[in-house]
Amino acid sequence: MTFENILYDKDGAVVVITLNRPEALNALNGALMTELAQALDGAEGDPDVGAVVLTGSPKAFAAGADIKEMADKTFMDCYLEDFITGTWERVARCRLPVIAAVAGYALGGGCELAMMCDIIIAADNAKFGQPEITLGIIPGIGGTQRLVRAVGKAKAGEMILSGRIIDAVEAERAGLVSRVVAADALNDEALQTARKIAELSRPAVMMAKESMAAAFEAPLSHGLRHERRLFHALFAGEDQKEGMAAFIEKRRPVFKNR
Ligand code: HXC
């Protein structure tokens, strides 16, 4: 697939989507977000694909929503076009696991986009923040909700209310990122993680993701029931039989659904 604001590469069972507006530090505009949604449609629609890596450049994952595109909008423009719903939330609705490989700036909408992914792997030069308050606005695509859940009230409060930017080490300590790697190893690490996931049983991975989503959206009792039903459902498939037989027979499993 070819696009103007992103790159789309298929590497075996992994799709790598690279945000590609270097002149604007990958600032997210409507055109880019529409292309990103189309790329995810493509990845999801391809039965060979088991995981997606979303990345940017060595200097910026994304320095936020495009301020130049937003600057002149009025309340009525935002309200009538329902600004930033729809395609902007597409990553959060992706049924395949998405790994954000973040180097450089992940600010504002960039940080929010990374938080929509399932796993964030950070380069040691990564910087995360919600500087919207310094522009006279607040995060608009999930920052006040997902950051609070990821790092807790105290750190999220300081980041969202003062605009303080944190580095990769602090982000890892706070639980925002799964791990920090050397900047030049970022792509390989993200790709290896994605490949490992793509080798596993696709329905099991998809149901694990679906069940984790319930942790954010439902009360504990509903989330637990949802998890239990999906857990039961996996016993209807071949991959559970194969995975457990392989363990007992001391061999590697060969999953049918991947
Ligand atoms: C539009 C941007 C941009 C942005 C950078 N650029 N960030 N354009 N929107 N969010 C452009 C600059 O205007 C500049 O273009 C070029 O990218 C390089 O940026 P510089 O500022 O010259 O680079 P540098 O000095 O290295 O500073 C990097 C930076 C700074 C610290 C990341 O660019 C910065 O503060 N950017 C804005 C960060 C921010 O406030 N993000 C939140 C946006 S609001 P020219 O043409 O001058 O070379 C938001 C709301 C989300 O995200 C909710 C709705 C989705």
Side-chain angles (χ1 to χ4, degrees):
M1 296 173 92
T2 46
F3 299 99
E4 280 175 27
N5 300 284
I6 61 174
L7 306 173
Y8 184 99
D9 293 301
K10 195 171 155 191
D11 181 328
V14 175
V15 160
V16 179
I17 300 173
T18 307
L19 306 175
N20 189 33
R21 291 189 71 210
E23 71 289 356
L25 299 181
N26 292 333
L28 308 170
N29 62 12
L32 183 150
M33 296 311 283
T34 299
E35 290 185 357
L36 179 54
Q38 290 165 350
L40 291 171
D41 288 345
E44 267 184 4
D46 183 338
D48 298 339
V49 176
V52 175
V53 172
L54 179 61
T55 192
S57 73
K59 188 165 179 204
F61 178 72
D66 192 319
I67 298 168
K68 293 164 192 166
E69 192 178 69
M70 278 185 292
D72 293 331
K73 279 190 195 297
T74 65
F75 166 76
M76 278 307 164
D77 294 332
C78 293
Y79 183 78
L80 291 174
E81 75 184 60
D82 209 2
F83 178 46
I84 63 172
T85 36
T87 55
W88 287 75
E89 294 168 323
R90 180 65 180 82
V91 173
R93 291 198 309 274
C94 185
R95 297 184 76 206
L96 294 171
V98 184
I99 297 160
V102 175
Y105 297 109
L107 302 179
C111 186
E112 293 171 294
L113 183 63
M115 288 192 291
M116 285 184 218
C117 301
D118 301 290
I119 301 171
I120 303 178
I121 300 179
D124 51 16
N125 74 339
K127 291 191 188 327
F128 297 86
Q130 298 289 164
E132 287 91 338
I133 202 83
T134 66
L135 298 169
I137 57 168
I138 66 171
I141 191 79
T144 63
Q145 306 302 302
R146 292 195 176 93
L147 191 63
V148 171
R149 286 161 200 237
V151 305
K153 181 180 164 186
K155 195 169 287 287
E158 191 184 0
M159 291 172 71
I160 292 168
L161 298 176
S162 77
R164 187 167 82 84
I165 290 168
I166 63 173
D167 65 18
V169 170
E170 189 172 352
E172 185 184 23
R173 213 166 49 220
L176 179 59
V177 310
S178 91
R179 60 199 161 96
V180 180
V181 300
D184 59 7
L186 179 68
N187 290 344
D188 278 352
E189 292 283 345
L191 209 51
Q192 266 181 38
T193 305
R195 281 194 192 120
K196 205 180 287 175
I197 293 171
E199 278 175 12
L200 301 171
S201 166
R202 193 174 149 100
V205 167
M206 288 170 74
M207 287 193 205
K209 174 169 169 149
E210 186 182 327
S211 192
M212 282 198 299
F216 281 92
E217 277 156 32
L220 180 62
S221 58
H222 290 198
L224 289 172
R225 199 171 323 127
H226 190 71
E227 179 192 80
R228 202 65 34 82
R229 293 288 171 262
L230 293 174
F231 176 74
H232 292 164
L234 286 165
F235 285 74
E238 303 99 328
D239 290 346
Q240 171 267 333
K241 301 284 174 297
E242 168 62 10
M244 293 191 182
F247 173 80
I248 292 164
E249 291 159 18
K250 300 187 188 298
R251 61 176 175 80
R252 275 173 73 86
V254 183
F255 292 119
K256 206 165 170 194
N257 299 293
R258 31 170 273 199

